[in-house]
Amino acid sequence: RDVFVFRVVALPGEDVKMTQAGLWVNGKQAAHPKGLVYTTGSRDDMTLILDKDHYFLLGDNAEFAVDSRHLGPAHKIQILGKVLGVEP
């Protein structure tokens, strides 16, 4: 079974809007760690309110990641844990 690491950028009940210009959660433009810029790329703009137990996930390889932009929100049972640190 493959395991992937994604950033959780929106929680259940939150309003997500993603456009060519960037990502907004609950009407506020999301901060991007490490200079990452998340957009819809060539895809259409998207707006959604996350259902109970669903999370919006984005990959660090922002241009090429197959994440919630493509697969939709992830249910909590699909999330196995959280990263506590990274060893170089």
Side-chain angles (χ1 to χ4, degrees), residues 18-31:
M18 184 169 270
T19 69
Q20 296 280 343
L23 169 68
W24 286 262
V25 178
N26 294 330
K28 296 180 182 176
Q29 190 162 21

Side-chain angles (χ1 to χ4, degrees), residues 17-24 29 32 37-41 45:
K17 180 177 182 180
M18 184 169 270
T19 69
Q20 296 280 343
L23 169 68
W24 286 262
Q29 190 162 21
H32 302 293
V37 177
Y38 289 113
T39 69
T40 55
D45 293 354

Side-chain angles (χ1 to χ4, degrees), residues 65-82:
V66 177
D67 49 31
S68 289
R69 292 173 290 183
H70 308 282
L71 304 173
H75 191 277
K76 72 177 183 179
I77 63 171
Q78 296 173 290
I79 299 174
L80 304 177
K82 75 180 192 179

